[in-house]
């Protein structure tokens, strides 16, 4: 659980699944890494703010 939380928090800051996944030994496009990612409302709001 700690690993998932750590990776999830890192993903919220970086938002690049390939970079975060590579840091933890996953290959680019790894489907196994997807379980650590959660696209929540904060990430969506930050994404929309990029348009401003």
């Amino acid at each position: 659980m700690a690993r998932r939380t750590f990776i999830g928090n890192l993903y919220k800051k970086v938002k690049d699944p390939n970079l975060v996944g590579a840091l933890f030994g996953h290959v680019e496009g790894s489907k196994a890494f997807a379980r650590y990612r959660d696209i929540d409302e904060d990430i969506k709001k930050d994404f929309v703010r990029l348009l401003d």
Side-chain angles (χ1 to χ4, degrees):
M1 190 62 166
R3 176 183 170 99
R4 182 179 182 150
T5 301
F6 181 73
I7 292 172
N9 290 338
L10 196 59
Y11 178 71
K12 285 183 181 182
K13 299 277 186 196
V14 177
K15 295 179 182 70
D16 181 350
N18 292 321
L19 180 60
V20 176
L23 183 64
F24 292 96
H26 294 271
V27 295
E28 188 172 333
S30 171
K31 291 182 182 184
F33 179 69
R35 76 183 84 155
Y36 298 113
R37 252 187 338 192
D38 182 33
I39 299 174
D40 60 11
E41 291 302 314
D42 291 334
I43 291 175
K44 291 176 187 176
K45 288 176 185 176
D46 289 344
F47 185 66
V48 172
R49 283 188 202 119
L50 293 173
L51 297 174
D52 291 339

